[in-house]
Every structure is written in C-alpha cells, then in structure tokens.
Amino acid sequence: MQDLDECMDRLMGKLPIEPNSMLAHIHIPKTAGVAVQSVLKAEFSPNLHLAWDKAREEWKQANSKAPYDGKFLTGHLEFSGLFYPGLPRPRPIYCIAVIREPLKRVVSLYNYNRSNMHPRHASFAEKFASLDDYVLTFTGAKRAANRQVRWLCGRVNDRDLLMARLNKHYIGVATQDRTDWYLSRVVSAVKQEDRTIEVPVVNTLKRVEHGTVVTEADISPVVLEKFRNANQLDLELYDTIMEQQEKLGAYPNTPRAAQPPTLQDKAKYHLRRVINSLRS
C-alpha cells in the first residue's frame, strides 16, 4: 500500500522543485481557500485567479494561444479541469491543496450556501430544505461521493492510485487547521529559503439568510451512516493527512480574530446583494 513519502518530501524540501515550474492551488470549497489564495498570490507572481463559476473555461482560454506562462494559478478548478486533454505542458505543474474533515466541510457548505455570501442562496435554500437533504446528495452516484478526492485527483476509487497521483503532482497536502505550517513549508520549499507564514482569517460566516446555522449534530443517524459509508476514501485521505502532519511536527494555526473587511470586500458584498435582489 502506497504512502505519501514523495509528496511530503517535496513539501519538506527533501525533493527538488524545478525553478521554472508552475504552481496551482486547487481551491476545494470551504477549506480556507480565500485566505490561502491571499497568501500565495502575494508570494508568487505573475498569477491568475480564475472566476469561481467559470474556472475551466478561463483556464482553457489562458492556454488558447500559447501556454500560460505565469507562476501561480488559483481557483475552483478540479484536477481534471487543470490537466484537461490537450493541455500544453512545456514545464512542470505542482499542485497545492488544503482539505477538511469531510462531514464538517459539507455542513459548512450547507450553511454558506444559505447565506447571502453565496450568489445563489435563495434557489439553494428552496432546493435543500434540510441539512439531511443536502448531505444525502453526497451519498448517491459515484461522482457525488468522495468529493475532495475528486477535486484533488479526478475520478479515483482506489487508495493506491490516489496516493500515486498525490505523490506525482503535489507539494504536500494539509488540513485546514494547519495552514500556517503548510504554507510556511510550501513557500520555503519553492523559494528555497526559510519562511514563516501566518494565514489571515477571512470570509467568516456570521449568519444565514434562510433558517439557522446547523452543525453535524443536526444530521440524522441514518443519513450520517450513509454519508460515512459512501465517503470512505475521503475519510481515509483525511486520516492519512492527519497522521502525516503529526509525524512531520505540523503545528496548529495561531488563534487570531478575523480580519475586518476592506473597502473592496464591502463593495463586492453590496454588489452581490444587488445582483441577488435582481435575480429574485
């Protein structure tokens, strides 16, 4: 059974990262991606931040006339969208990603999607009246389950293949509560200099527009069992990353308050509310 030695050795500086390589942040929803993006965009340029709802199209467009020559790419772009058929690859592409305990991520998604932070919150709340209804969507067809694995490595149903793809393509993987350590290691490994990074706390949910904030305790036992049975590879991946972090001495994030929104953040928020009101 494969492990993550190569993936983690690259993160710890034991395996070289080619200087002309491109870095791609696979932003899995609700894994502190906005905060991670803010750090990596400041460290690596030129960079390209793909639109949340047009990531595949924009990435293909960026390579339509010539291969993208920037240093860093970020967005809600799955592995299969990043390495799409016909992608020109004149240089190595290394991926960076943060994951989260699978059930906590789904609950966080449900809360977020019912808040006015999400542009389609009204239609989402109408479609999914309860948390159980939403959690069940992650237990049906094969493509619905193990979503973090799919984001990271495409349609993978085998642990050994998952480990092999992570080893080949990634500069480590970390859990959301270890992003300070992880990004410190990523930047240090890529730039070949010791760095200490503190990832800001941003995009925190304060309330939802439809109903109340829910937790894992609000999931029925029957639905909970179905979720765990259907998402075993996601759960195994999370446990594996946790074990790897413990072996490597990964320290937890420093507790700190969320950063106050900037004027640009406030402008985006009000624009989103106007757009949502026009759609409703």
Side-chain angles (χ1 to χ4, degrees):
M1 185 177 291
Q2 289 202 29
D3 54 29
L4 286 175
D5 283 351
E6 187 176 346
C7 174
M8 292 302 184
D9 281 352
R10 196 175 289 119
L11 176 66
M12 302 306 291
K14 296 179 180 180
L15 285 179
I17 297 172
E18 296 189 31
N20 70 330
S21 60
M22 190 193 94
L23 308 176
H25 168 224
I26 304 294
H27 180 183
I28 302 173
K30 305 316 296 173
T31 58
V34 174
V36 171
Q37 287 170 339
S38 69
V39 170
L40 295 178
K41 285 167 65 177
E43 291 287 343
F44 303 113
S45 61
N47 54 62
L48 176 62
H49 189 160
L50 303 170
W52 72 275
D53 56 345
K54 297 180 180 178
R56 282 177 177 258
E57 296 90 330
E58 289 190 357
W59 176 230
K60 285 186 177 181
Q61 182 62 34
N63 290 280
S64 60
K65 296 181 180 179
Y68 172 67
D69 61 358
K71 180 64 179 177
F72 177 64
L73 171 76
T74 183
H76 287 309
L77 185 66
E78 293 187 11
F79 181 88
S80 60
L82 174 64
F83 295 106
Y84 64 84
L87 170 70
R89 295 177 63 181
R91 58 189 175 137
I93 300 176
Y94 293 111
C95 299
I96 301 163
V98 174
I99 64 171
R100 189 172 183 177
E101 196 283 323
L103 189 61
K104 290 183 183 298
R105 190 186 78 88
V106 170
V107 172
S108 180
L109 265 173
Y110 184 70
N111 285 324
Y112 173 80
N113 288 347
R114 292 179 301 131
S115 76
N116 57 20
M117 298 174 72
H118 193 278
R120 298 170 185 164
H121 61 87
S123 59
F124 178 89
E126 184 177 355
K127 185 176 181 180
F128 300 106
S130 72
L131 176 58
D132 276 0
D133 290 340
Y134 186 58
V135 173
L136 283 171
T137 66
F138 293 83
T139 65
K142 289 184 178 180
R143 63 177 298 178
N146 298 308
R147 287 298 297 159
Q148 291 187 108
V149 167
R150 187 181 178 91
W151 274 92
L152 294 176
C153 294
R155 296 185 182 183
V156 174
N157 297 310
D158 174 80
R159 184 186 188 279
D160 284 348
L161 179 56
L162 171 62
M163 296 297 111
R165 288 192 177 175
L166 291 172
N167 278 325
K168 180 178 180 180
H169 295 285
Y170 280 80
I171 304 175
V173 176
T175 58
Q176 185 175 344
D177 62 336
R178 296 294 190 274
T179 52
D180 285 359
W181 171 82
Y182 180 51
L183 293 194
S184 296
R185 293 306 319 154
V186 168
V187 174
S188 296
V190 175
K191 294 192 172 184
Q192 298 184 358
E193 59 183 50
D194 289 335
R195 296 288 302 277
T196 300
I197 302 292
E198 285 193 356
V199 181
V201 178
V202 298
N203 209 23
T204 54
L205 181 70
K206 293 182 173 59
R207 66 186 181 90
V208 298
E209 292 291 309
H210 310 272
T212 59
V213 173
V214 296
T215 69
E216 298 98 295
D218 296 303
I219 303 172
S220 70
V222 172
V223 172
L224 181 61
E225 183 178 4
K226 286 183 178 181
F227 178 86
R228 295 198 180 282
N229 289 338
N231 291 273
Q232 290 183 3
L233 194 55
D234 247 21
L235 291 162
E236 187 173 355
L237 171 63
Y238 179 78
D239 289 342
T240 299
I241 297 300
M242 290 287 287
E243 291 171 5
Q244 290 287 325
Q245 289 177 157
E246 184 175 355
K247 289 179 182 178
L248 295 172
Y251 52 82
N253 297 342
T254 303
R256 49 189 171 269
Q259 290 187 346
T262 64
L263 290 176
Q264 185 179 22
D265 292 333
K266 292 179 179 179
K268 288 181 179 179
Y269 169 79
H270 289 298
L271 177 60
R272 192 159 55 221
R273 294 209 64 168
V274 170
I275 293 173
N276 291 340
S277 66
L278 291 175
R279 286 174 175 170
S280 60

